[in-house]
């Protein structure tokens, strides 16, 4: 091999190294050029056949080439040690990991907690298994009330039931704290309902309670829920109150939000009314204050409660409550 041929081979080897895209190709070049039976060792062995006067220059060029190609191959391998070790073939498509997504129910609960935190509300918690006093008696629900019936409530023992609402957390909060109290209480609730597109025997509610030693009014309740409606559903969403009855509030109201689909114009979702029923609420009944040891003459407050599933279904246009529990990735991954 002449010096010119050597130079051409050197150039070619560096071009091949630059073009190598995976560990196998890099390894093949190492074998071809610097391996035991490779071209460069063969040239070193053949030095004795090179004319004597050319030998020093030829030897120098071969050694320089070896250093150069070794460095180029090493640089290729260092770019991906795993590739160099043959563990990764970077020419193959990579593994694809589906990123996790927050469940729509968790999202509604988290958003609600964030919105009410700005108004000074903290999050309170209570157990799923309650006693008769917290779930019914202290909430001024008389013993003959239909909701206490075995057909509506999951009774576990004489004085143990799966809570039918998050309202018992109001009782626990007031019994454990002096006023003022300002809490929201998200949690699981249970009713002996037959499951269909809008009912589930296990669902979630968020309770709210504000009690203070200074006068609290229905107007305070309305402005708080109006703020929540705007923050949760959009800036042009309003609230309206309709008279209702709950044993633990007096007066009691049902709370509607402007239908966020038609923005109040009337559509199939709101049955042309422009409003969607969201929550129950009212001013805490004096009898409830008595049950928790508060003086009804010196405190006042409001309470409200709504279904998490209902908000999620309305906000995200989910037509069937069961989709929230099936953990179908085609559904869940839409909330990424
Ligand atoms: N607990 C009621 C229910 O499950 C909802 C509710 C209504 C909660 C009025 C309240 C309230 O705190 O004041 O239907």
């Amino acid at each position: 091999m002449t010096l010119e041929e050597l130079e051409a081979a050197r150039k070619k080897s560096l071009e091949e190294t630059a073009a190598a895209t995976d560990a196998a190709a890099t390894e093949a070049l190492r074998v071809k050029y610097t391996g035991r039976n490779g071209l460069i060792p063969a040239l070193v062995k053949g030095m004795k056949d090179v004319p004597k006067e050319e030998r020093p220059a030829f030897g120098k060029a071969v050694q320089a080439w070896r250093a150069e190609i070794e460095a180029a191959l090493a640089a290729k391998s260092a770019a991906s040690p795993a590739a160099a070790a043959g563990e990764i073939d970077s020419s193959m498509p990579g593994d694809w990991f589906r990123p996790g997504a927050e469940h729509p129910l968790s999202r509604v609960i988290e958003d609600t907690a964030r919105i009410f935190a700005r108004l000074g509300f903290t999050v309170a918690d209570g157990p799923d298994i309650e006693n008769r006093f917290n779930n019914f008696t202290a909430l001024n629900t008389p013993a003959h009330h239909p909701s206490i019936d075995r057909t509506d409530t999951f009774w576990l023992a004489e004085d143990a039931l799966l809570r039918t609402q998050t309202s018992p957390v109001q009782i626990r909060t007031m019994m454990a704290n002096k006023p003022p109290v300002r809490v929201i209480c998200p949690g699981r609730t249970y009713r002996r309902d037959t499951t269909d597109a809008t009912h589930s025997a296990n669902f979630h509610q968020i309770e709210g309670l504000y009690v203070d030693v200074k006068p609290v009014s229905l107007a305070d309740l309305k402005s708080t829920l109006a703020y929540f409606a705007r923050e949760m559903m959009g800036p042009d969403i309003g609230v309206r109150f309709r008279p209702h009855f709950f044993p633990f509030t007096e007066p009691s109201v049902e709370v509607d939000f402007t239908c966020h689909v038609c923005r109040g114009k009337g559509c199939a979702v709101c049955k042309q009314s422009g409003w969607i029923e969201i929550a129950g609420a009212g001013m805490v009944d004096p009898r409830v204050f008595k049950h928790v040891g508060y003086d009804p003459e010196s405190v006042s407050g409001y309470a409200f409660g709504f279904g998490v599933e209902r908000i999620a279904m309305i906000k995200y246009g989910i037509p069937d409550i069961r989709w929230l529990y099936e953990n179908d990735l085609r559904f869940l991954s839409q909330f990424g």
Side-chain angles (χ1 to χ4, degrees):
M1 189 183 267
T2 65
L3 271 170
E4 288 81 57
E5 285 166 340
L6 184 74
E7 175 57 17
R10 184 188 75 89
K11 265 202 174 138
K12 181 164 167 266
S13 73
L14 292 173
E15 280 163 15
E16 284 172 350
T17 303
T21 52
D22 60 40
T26 310
E27 175 61 11
L29 290 171
R30 191 193 63 76
V31 170
K32 178 177 174 185
Y33 289 106
T34 63
R36 190 143 24 116
N37 300 313
L39 188 54
I40 292 174
L43 287 174
V44 173
K45 251 185 236 151
M47 286 288 279
K48 56 185 184 311
D49 302 327
V50 176
K52 216 174 169 184
E53 59 283 3
E54 281 180 23
R55 225 176 268 164
F58 197 87
K60 237 181 168 178
V62 170
Q63 293 313 330
W65 179 20
R66 184 204 287 272
E68 211 174 357
I69 185 86
E70 277 178 350
L73 289 169
K76 270 271 159 180
S77 303
S80 170
E87 289 161 8
I88 293 176
D89 180 350
S90 60
S91 68
M92 295 291 284
D95 283 344
W96 184 66
F97 291 95
R98 184 192 291 274
E102 197 173 25
H103 192 282
L105 294 179
S106 305
R107 193 185 273 194
V108 168
I109 291 171
E110 293 294 324
D111 286 351
T112 303
R114 245 193 308 277
I115 293 164
F116 278 99
R118 290 183 216 133
L119 303 175
F121 286 73
T122 55
V123 174
D125 203 7
D128 290 19
I129 298 176
E130 267 295 2
N131 56 42
R132 184 187 289 264
F133 179 81
N134 287 336
N135 196 84
F136 293 121
T137 315
L139 289 162
N140 196 35
T141 309
H144 60 265
H145 194 275
S147 65
I148 302 184
D149 198 286
R150 297 199 173 271
T151 57
D152 287 334
T153 303
F154 288 109
W155 284 92
L156 304 176
E158 176 55 31
D159 193 24
L161 55 91
L162 292 175
R163 66 179 174 194
T164 60
Q165 49 192 354
T166 43
S167 304
V169 188
Q170 288 185 32
I171 304 303
R172 291 177 173 273
T173 303
M174 287 191 279
M175 291 183 81
N177 299 279
K178 286 198 171 68
V181 295
R182 231 191 227 101
V183 290
I184 61 157
C185 328
R188 286 175 189 276
T189 48
Y190 305 81
R191 283 180 203 175
R192 295 186 61 164
D193 272 331
T194 305
T195 301
D196 62 21
T198 53
H199 294 84
S200 166
N202 168 207
F203 57 107
H204 301 74
Q205 287 188 335
I206 298 178
E207 194 79 10
L209 176 72
Y210 170 44
V211 180
D212 211 326
V213 289
K214 59 187 189 204
V216 178
S217 71
L218 206 60
D220 296 329
L221 169 63
K222 195 166 185 184
S223 63
T224 300
L225 291 178
Y227 175 71
F228 173 63
R230 287 195 301 274
E231 292 295 308
M232 192 67 168
M233 306 301 287
D236 49 350
I237 299 297
V239 297
R240 76 172 180 186
F241 283 179
R242 282 179 291 107
H244 198 71
F245 174 79
F246 295 104
F248 32 87
T249 41
E250 181 58 36
S252 301
V253 294
E254 274 192 324
V255 184
D256 295 344
F257 284 7
T258 311
C259 174
H260 77 294
V261 175
C262 62
R263 307 276 154 183
K265 286 193 202 68
C267 68
V269 171
C270 60
K271 301 193 182 78
Q272 307 306 326
S273 72
W275 296 94
I276 292 189
E277 186 191 319
I278 295 286
M283 304 308 294
V284 179
D285 193 296
R287 289 170 198 240
V288 174
F289 285 142
K290 277 196 196 139
H291 276 298
V292 299
Y294 280 10
D295 175 11
E297 300 298 325
S298 54
V299 299
S300 57
Y302 61 68
F304 57 86
F306 58 83
V308 178
E309 279 79 355
R310 187 159 172 76
I311 298 267
M313 290 170 78
I314 290 164
K315 183 166 180 180
Y316 302 118
I318 300 165
D320 192 317
I321 198 171
R322 290 166 290 200
W323 294 8
L324 292 164
Y325 312 119
E326 283 166 355
N327 284 336
D328 186 330
L329 285 178
R330 291 169 301 176
F331 172 71
L332 292 179
S333 61
Q334 296 177 53
F335 299 91

